[in-house]
Amino acid sequence: MSQSTITAVAGPPGSGKTTWIRQQLAAETAPVLYFCPGSGNVPIDQTCIAAEFSQIKTLTDGEESLLAKHLENGVSAYIELGFHLQLTTLENLLQAFPSRRISVVPPEIKDTEWHQWGDVIVEGIAVSGEVDKLSIWRSPASGQVLDPASLDLFWYEEMTQGAYGKVHRAKGIFDIADGRSFYFDFAAKFQETAHEELQIPRWLEGRPQRFSGIEIVGENLDKTALGQTLEDCCLSEAVMLNYQQQVKESLLLGEEETS
């Protein structure tokens, strides 16, 4: 049995920690797992990695005992530390197993706690905002199906344009009316949103029994308004079922025409 290694990754929000980990996971041939402590009931990065890498085991908060068990069985782990966690959070674990500490930091900042903590410094991408002024707002949306037009209005014309406070970083996974699930990623430094469809089956049988949710890092966030607006984007039970029936009939018709 090979000896497990922990790769702990830390850095400011939006510096590219998850991107760097995804690059490493793509090259891994041995069994590895991914864990992002402190995600609570909004495991966005875990969900994306599980969808992209079917061979990678992901763990969520509350499964720390499984983490230790996997490590003892020789499985290596990538652990991502959010900026809101103390860098000493994993100290006992890092001392108990062979480990390396990777700090992903933007080129414009120097001599931070991440520089002191990391064994290896990886140059990340530029970020906006001062870390000590930032707060996080998270909300699960599991079981909800969003109207695409309302989601676009919320994401592109309101949230990222400052309608609910100064947003520096935002990411979310949403189920939409045609049964697909999409990942959204916004970085204020570049005023850009990327979005991609998760490679998972369409959900067309009632309320989705899988994770969806949103995470925003920013300043002076109006969390009440954010929650209410997101709720307003969700379809009622009757409308959702009607959409799903239409999509099923359309997909069936397409299959018949190609057969």
Side-chain angles (χ1 to χ4, degrees):
M1 183 174 66
S2 60
Q3 190 174 32
S4 61
T5 301
I6 298 174
T7 302
V9 183
S15 62
K17 299 185 293 297
T18 312
T19 297
W20 184 87
I21 290 173
R22 289 168 74 169
Q23 292 169 347
Q24 310 311 306
L25 293 177
E28 286 284 356
T29 56
V32 296
L33 63 83
Y34 171 80
F35 178 48
C36 183
S39 300
N41 60 351
V42 186
I44 293 174
D45 292 327
Q46 291 96 321
T47 302
C48 288
I49 285 174
E52 183 177 359
F53 304 101
S54 59
Q55 78 280 16
I56 303 296
K57 174 72 175 176
T58 61
L59 300 178
T60 57
D61 281 347
E63 296 182 318
E64 289 80 358
S65 61
L66 293 178
L67 172 60
K69 186 176 180 180
H70 282 295
L71 290 168
E72 290 166 357
N73 288 333
V75 177
S76 293
Y78 285 83
I79 303 180
E80 181 174 350
L81 283 173
F83 80 98
H84 55 292
L85 297 180
Q86 296 290 328
L87 289 174
T88 55
T89 299
L90 295 176
E91 203 55 40
N92 291 338
L93 201 61
L94 296 181
Q95 292 184 11
F97 293 90
S99 61
R100 56 176 182 158
R101 306 168 194 225
I102 310 296
S103 290
V104 182
V105 291
E108 71 270 21
I109 66 172
K110 309 293 181 185
D111 301 324
T112 66
E113 59 177 343
W114 293 295
H115 290 86
Q116 298 173 10
W117 176 83
D119 300 319
V120 177
I121 307 299
V122 174
E123 183 175 294
I125 58 177
V127 299
S128 61
E130 299 178 34
V131 172
D132 57 355
K133 294 182 179 179
L134 303 180
S135 63
I136 295 180
W137 176 76
R138 292 184 175 123
S139 178
S142 302
Q144 299 292 348
V145 173
L146 277 67
D147 169 52
S150 299
L151 176 59
D152 285 349
L153 177 64
F154 165 69
W155 192 279
Y156 291 102
E157 298 184 27
E158 295 180 351
M159 186 269 291
T160 58
Q161 299 303 311
Y164 308 101
K166 191 171 183 178
V167 173
H168 292 281
R169 188 84 169 87
K171 57 178 76 173
I173 293 176
F174 304 107
D175 278 295
I176 64 170
D178 67 1
R180 294 181 295 170
S181 181
F182 280 85
Y183 170 68
F184 283 69
D185 189 339
F186 169 76
K189 181 70 177 180
F190 306 104
Q191 284 296 305
E192 290 181 354
T193 286
H195 70 273
E196 60 181 279
E197 180 184 350
L198 295 184
Q199 296 307 304
I200 56 179
R202 290 180 189 250
W203 194 286
L204 295 171
E205 299 296 338
R207 296 205 173 277
Q209 301 298 306
R210 59 191 181 193
F211 168 76
S212 61
I214 184 172
E215 175 182 298
I216 296 175
V217 176
E219 300 173 46
N220 304 315
L221 299 176
D222 187 341
K223 300 176 181 178
T224 301
L226 280 165
Q228 183 59 57
T229 304
L230 187 63
E231 185 176 330
D232 292 342
C233 294
C234 299
L235 299 175
S236 68
E237 182 92 3
V239 173
M240 175 191 70
L241 294 174
N242 184 46
Y243 267 118
Q244 291 178 343
Q245 185 60 35
Q246 291 181 38
V247 174
K248 284 191 287 188
E249 291 173 358
S250 176
L251 293 174
L252 181 61
L253 180 61
E255 291 175 359
E256 291 175 348
E257 289 177 346
T258 57
S259 62

